[in-house]
Amino acid sequence: MKNELSQILGEASAEIKNQDADLEQIRIKYLGKKGKLTDILKKLGTLPAEERPVIGAFANEIKTKIEELIAKKQKELAGLNIEKKLAEEKIDITLPAKQKETGKRHPISQIMLSLEEIFIGMGFNIVKGPEIEYAYYNFDALNSPKNHPARDIQDTFYIRKDEKEIREDDILLRCHTSSVQIRFMEKNKPPIKIVAPGRTFRVDLDSTHTPVFHQFEGLVVDKNITLVDLKDTLEAVFRGLFGEDAEIRLRPHYFPFTEPSAEVDAKCFVCGGNNENCPTCRGEGWLEMLGAGMVHPKVLAGCGIDPTVYTGFAFGMGLERLAMVKFGIDDIRNLFENNMRFLRQF
Ligand code: DAH
C-alpha cells in the first residue's frame, strides 16, 4: 500500500507540473471524495492493526504534499498571468502625448454672462421667452402698428403668415427680445425688474448684421420710475462692462413701445472722444449702443397695468454690437464662422 501511495504522489506531481490552467480538477481527481488517495484510505480498515497508523500517517503526508504542490503551482500561474498582463499593457513613454485643448467661452457668451452678473447684482431677475413667437407679442402688444415696416415679410422670418391679411396670430422668429416684456407683464404685477437675454432673428446680412443675433432686454415697472432711473441704471451697466470712466448719453429717438424713446451712446472706449481720426467712432467721440425709453402707457395698459399708477423704463441692446466694441472686432460675421484661431483671441 505504501508503494501505491508513493506512486500516486509521483503521478500527481507530474500532472500538476504540466498543468497550466485547471488545478481544481487535479485536486478532485486525487483528493476529492472519490479521488485516488481517498480510495486507498478507504481500504485502510483491511490492514492489520499495527500497520494502520503507519500507513495512515504516510497517506496524510502524501495528501499534504499534493496540496502543497497544487498551492505552489497556483502561485506560479498567478505570477505568470501578471507578467503576461504587464507585457501586454506596456506603455511606450516615448510617444508624444495626445494634445488636449481647453475650450473657452465665445465672446458673445462672455458678454452675456458679464451682463447677467451686473444685473443680478442690481437685483434684476433673468427671464426667458420663446424664440418662435406670435406676431402679437413681437409687434401688436408692443404698440407696433399693422403697417410697421419691420413686419414686412422681407424683414422678418415668418413661419406661418396669413396671405390675405396681417394677423396677430401669424407665427415668426422674434426680431427682438421685447416680446418677453409683454409675456412677463401679462403674468406678473409690479414691481417688475427683469432682464431677458436671448437669440433674435432678422433678414439681414452685412458687416454689422447677421440673420441670427443676440439681444439683452431690460424692463423695470413700479411707482415713480423715471428717465433718471433708466440713465442711472445704464450708466452703472456700462461702468461694470467697460470700467469706471465709461460715460453714456441719451439721444431722442422713436420706438413704438416707448415714449419718450432714446438711443443710448457710449463715449468712445478707444479714443475717449479725443481723436478726430479714431477708426472706432470715426471721430464722433460717441458710439451708438442701444435703444431705450419709458414704457408706452398703451403697452402697460394692454398688459393690465394701470399707467396712471405705474411707470416703467425699458431698453434693448445687441450683444454682437457690445462684443465688437469691447473686443475691437470690425466684422460681425467673424463671430459666427467658427474660426478657432479668431475666437481664441478673446
Ligand atoms: N427692440 C428694439 C430693437 O430691437 C430695442 C429696444 C428699444 C428695446 C427700446 C426696448 C426699448 O425695450 O425700450 O431695436
mmCIF file of all heavy atoms in Angstrom, residues 175-178 181 202 215 217-218 255 257-258 262 291-293 314-317, ligand 1:
data_model
loop_
_atom_site.group_PDB
_atom_site.id
_atom_site.type_symbol
_atom_site.label_atom_id
_atom_site.label_comp_id
_atom_site.label_asym_id
_atom_site.label_seq_id
_atom_site.Cartn_x
_atom_site.Cartn_y
_atom_site.Cartn_z
ATOM 1 N N CYS A 175 -38.032 89.154 -33.713
ATOM 2 C CA CYS A 175 -36.987 90.023 -34.260
ATOM 3 C C CYS A 175 -36.364 90.877 -33.171
ATOM 4 O O CYS A 175 -35.442 91.650 -33.422
ATOM 5 C CB CYS A 175 -37.535 90.870 -35.409
ATOM 6 S SG CYS A 175 -38.640 92.174 -34.865
ATOM 7 N N HIS A 176 -36.856 90.742 -31.951
ATOM 8 C CA HIS A 176 -36.220 91.373 -30.786
ATOM 9 C C HIS A 176 -36.693 90.659 -29.522
ATOM 10 O O HIS A 176 -37.627 89.842 -29.568
ATOM 11 C CB HIS A 176 -36.517 92.876 -30.716
ATOM 12 C CG HIS A 176 -37.976 93.226 -30.806
ATOM 13 N ND1 HIS A 176 -38.413 94.506 -30.901
ATOM 14 C CD2 HIS A 176 -39.101 92.450 -30.814
ATOM 15 C CE1 HIS A 176 -39.734 94.522 -30.963
ATOM 16 N NE2 HIS A 176 -40.179 93.290 -30.916
ATOM 17 N N THR A 177 -36.033 90.954 -28.414
ATOM 18 C CA THR A 177 -36.415 90.299 -27.158
ATOM 19 C C THR A 177 -37.526 91.074 -26.451
ATOM 20 O O THR A 177 -37.992 90.660 -25.384
ATOM 21 C CB THR A 177 -35.197 90.185 -26.210
ATOM 22 O OG1 THR A 177 -34.438 91.390 -26.292
ATOM 23 C CG2 THR A 177 -34.323 89.009 -26.583
ATOM 24 N N SER A 178 -37.979 92.178 -27.048
ATOM 25 C CA SER A 178 -39.021 92.999 -26.393
ATOM 26 C C SER A 178 -40.303 92.209 -26.159
ATOM 27 O O SER A 178 -41.091 92.541 -25.262
ATOM 28 C CB SER A 178 -39.308 94.242 -27.230
ATOM 29 O OG SER A 178 -38.123 94.971 -27.455
ATOM 30 N N GLN A 181 -41.028 91.185 -22.599
ATOM 31 C CA GLN A 181 -41.654 92.177 -21.703
ATOM 32 C C GLN A 181 -43.148 91.901 -21.570
ATOM 33 O O GLN A 181 -43.702 91.886 -20.476
ATOM 34 C CB GLN A 181 -41.546 93.586 -22.304
ATOM 35 C CG GLN A 181 -40.179 94.174 -22.395
ATOM 36 C CD GLN A 181 -40.267 95.619 -22.930
ATOM 37 O OE1 GLN A 181 -41.324 96.233 -22.898
ATOM 38 N NE2 GLN A 181 -39.147 96.136 -23.394
ATOM 39 N N ARG A 202 -33.363 88.341 -37.890
ATOM 40 C CA ARG A 202 -33.844 89.287 -38.909
ATOM 41 C C ARG A 202 -33.227 88.941 -40.252
ATOM 42 O O ARG A 202 -32.123 88.386 -40.309
ATOM 43 C CB ARG A 202 -33.446 90.727 -38.541
ATOM 44 C CG ARG A 202 -34.313 91.302 -37.452
ATOM 45 C CD ARG A 202 -33.968 92.739 -37.151
ATOM 46 N NE ARG A 202 -34.330 93.023 -35.757
ATOM 47 C CZ ARG A 202 -34.111 94.161 -35.131
ATOM 48 N NH1 ARG A 202 -33.519 95.158 -35.767
ATOM 49 N NH2 ARG A 202 -34.467 94.319 -33.876
ATOM 50 N N GLN A 215 -29.900 89.628 -28.287
ATOM 51 C CA GLN A 215 -30.269 90.867 -27.604
ATOM 52 C C GLN A 215 -30.371 90.642 -26.110
ATOM 53 O O GLN A 215 -30.482 89.510 -25.634
ATOM 54 C CB GLN A 215 -31.611 91.387 -28.136
ATOM 55 C CG GLN A 215 -31.505 92.095 -29.471
ATOM 56 C CD GLN A 215 -32.753 92.910 -29.803
ATOM 57 O OE1 GLN A 215 -33.805 92.738 -29.192
ATOM 58 N NE2 GLN A 215 -32.627 93.806 -30.769
ATOM 59 N N GLU A 217 -32.635 92.360 -23.156
ATOM 60 C CA GLU A 217 -33.744 93.274 -22.903
ATOM 61 C C GLU A 217 -33.823 93.585 -21.415
ATOM 62 O O GLU A 217 -33.517 92.730 -20.584
ATOM 63 C CB GLU A 217 -35.039 92.573 -23.344
ATOM 64 C CG GLU A 217 -36.242 93.451 -23.378
ATOM 65 C CD GLU A 217 -36.324 94.244 -24.681
ATOM 66 O OE1 GLU A 217 -35.545 93.957 -25.611
ATOM 67 O OE2 GLU A 217 -37.160 95.166 -24.750
ATOM 68 N N GLY A 218 -34.251 94.789 -21.089
ATOM 69 C CA GLY A 218 -34.441 95.130 -19.677
ATOM 70 C C GLY A 218 -35.794 95.794 -19.479
ATOM 71 O O GLY A 218 -36.289 96.490 -20.374
ATOM 72 N N PHE A 255 -39.304 104.759 -30.838
ATOM 73 C CA PHE A 255 -39.704 103.345 -30.819
ATOM 74 C C PHE A 255 -41.195 103.333 -30.529
ATOM 75 O O PHE A 255 -41.671 104.162 -29.741
ATOM 76 C CB PHE A 255 -38.960 102.556 -29.732
ATOM 77 C CG PHE A 255 -37.484 102.420 -29.981
ATOM 78 C CD1 PHE A 255 -36.576 103.173 -29.232
ATOM 79 C CD2 PHE A 255 -36.993 101.562 -30.953
ATOM 80 C CE1 PHE A 255 -35.216 103.049 -29.458
ATOM 81 C CE2 PHE A 255 -35.632 101.449 -31.182
ATOM 82 C CZ PHE A 255 -34.732 102.194 -30.438
ATOM 83 N N PHE A 257 -42.920 101.309 -28.802
ATOM 84 C CA PHE A 257 -43.299 100.800 -27.475
ATOM 85 C C PHE A 257 -42.791 101.643 -26.318
ATOM 86 O O PHE A 257 -42.981 101.293 -25.160
ATOM 87 C CB PHE A 257 -42.849 99.346 -27.315
ATOM 88 C CG PHE A 257 -41.562 99.015 -28.042
ATOM 89 C CD1 PHE A 257 -40.340 99.130 -27.407
ATOM 90 C CD2 PHE A 257 -41.605 98.624 -29.372
ATOM 91 C CE1 PHE A 257 -39.170 98.826 -28.092
ATOM 92 C CE2 PHE A 257 -40.433 98.330 -30.053
ATOM 93 C CZ PHE A 257 -39.213 98.437 -29.423
ATOM 94 N N THR A 258 -42.105 102.763 -26.613
ATOM 95 C CA THR A 258 -41.660 103.654 -25.533
ATOM 96 C C THR A 258 -41.989 105.105 -25.893
ATOM 97 O O THR A 258 -42.029 105.476 -27.061
ATOM 98 C CB THR A 258 -40.137 103.516 -25.291
ATOM 99 O OG1 THR A 258 -39.477 103.424 -26.552
ATOM 100 C CG2 THR A 258 -39.808 102.312 -24.465
ATOM 101 N N ALA A 262 -35.249 106.830 -26.633
ATOM 102 C CA ALA A 262 -33.896 107.366 -26.814
ATOM 103 C C ALA A 262 -32.975 106.307 -27.392
ATOM 104 O O ALA A 262 -33.201 105.103 -27.196
ATOM 105 C CB ALA A 262 -33.349 107.837 -25.466
ATOM 106 N N GLY A 291 -31.149 100.845 -27.704
ATOM 107 C CA GLY A 291 -32.386 101.611 -27.689
ATOM 108 C C GLY A 291 -33.041 101.518 -26.320
ATOM 109 O O GLY A 291 -32.904 100.500 -25.637
ATOM 110 N N ALA A 292 -33.747 102.589 -25.938
ATOM 111 C CA ALA A 292 -34.356 102.584 -24.615
ATOM 112 C C ALA A 292 -35.486 103.607 -24.552
ATOM 113 O O ALA A 292 -35.720 104.344 -25.506
ATOM 114 C CB ALA A 292 -33.308 102.904 -23.554
ATOM 115 N N GLY A 293 -36.177 103.653 -23.433
ATOM 116 C CA GLY A 293 -37.224 104.656 -23.270
ATOM 117 C C GLY A 293 -38.132 104.343 -22.100
ATOM 118 O O GLY A 293 -37.915 103.375 -21.361
ATOM 119 N N ALA A 314 -37.544 100.790 -20.221
ATOM 120 C CA ALA A 314 -37.135 99.554 -20.901
ATOM 121 C C ALA A 314 -35.943 99.866 -21.796
ATOM 122 O O ALA A 314 -35.711 101.023 -22.159
ATOM 123 C CB ALA A 314 -38.288 99.003 -21.727
ATOM 124 N N PHE A 315 -35.215 98.836 -22.103
ATOM 125 C CA PHE A 315 -34.096 99.017 -23.035
ATOM 126 C C PHE A 315 -33.809 97.684 -23.714
ATOM 127 O O PHE A 315 -34.225 96.619 -23.224
ATOM 128 C CB PHE A 315 -32.828 99.515 -22.310
ATOM 129 C CG PHE A 315 -32.366 98.605 -21.203
ATOM 130 C CD1 PHE A 315 -31.529 97.535 -21.458
ATOM 131 C CD2 PHE A 315 -32.812 98.819 -19.895
ATOM 132 C CE1 PHE A 315 -31.124 96.692 -20.434
ATOM 133 C CE2 PHE A 315 -32.413 97.970 -18.867
ATOM 134 C CZ PHE A 315 -31.566 96.914 -19.137
ATOM 135 N N GLY A 316 -33.141 97.751 -24.851
ATOM 136 C CA GLY A 316 -32.756 96.520 -25.536
ATOM 137 C C GLY A 316 -31.425 96.752 -26.225
ATOM 138 O O GLY A 316 -31.265 97.738 -26.941
ATOM 139 N N MET A 317 -30.465 95.873 -25.937
ATOM 140 C CA MET A 317 -29.159 96.068 -26.582
ATOM 141 C C MET A 317 -28.726 94.827 -27.342
ATOM 142 O O MET A 317 -29.070 93.701 -26.993
ATOM 143 C CB MET A 317 -28.102 96.481 -25.574
ATOM 144 C CG MET A 317 -28.042 95.716 -24.290
ATOM 145 S SD MET A 317 -26.872 96.584 -23.213
ATOM 146 C CE MET A 317 -27.650 96.469 -21.635
HETATM 147 N N1 DAH B 1 -36.465 96.270 -29.568
HETATM 148 C C1 DAH B 1 -35.590 97.332 -30.021
HETATM 149 C C2 DAH B 1 -34.794 96.855 -31.241
HETATM 150 O O1 DAH B 1 -34.711 95.673 -31.428
HETATM 151 C C3 DAH B 1 -34.653 97.748 -28.937
HETATM 152 C C4 DAH B 1 -35.363 98.411 -27.839
HETATM 153 C C5 DAH B 1 -35.584 99.774 -27.873
HETATM 154 C C6 DAH B 1 -35.844 97.700 -26.778
HETATM 155 C C7 DAH B 1 -36.227 100.417 -26.868
HETATM 156 C C8 DAH B 1 -36.540 98.356 -25.748
HETATM 157 C C9 DAH B 1 -36.710 99.724 -25.804
HETATM 158 O O2 DAH B 1 -37.027 97.709 -24.695
HETATM 159 O O3 DAH B 1 -37.346 100.321 -24.778
HETATM 160 O O4 DAH B 1 -34.281 97.647 -31.929
#
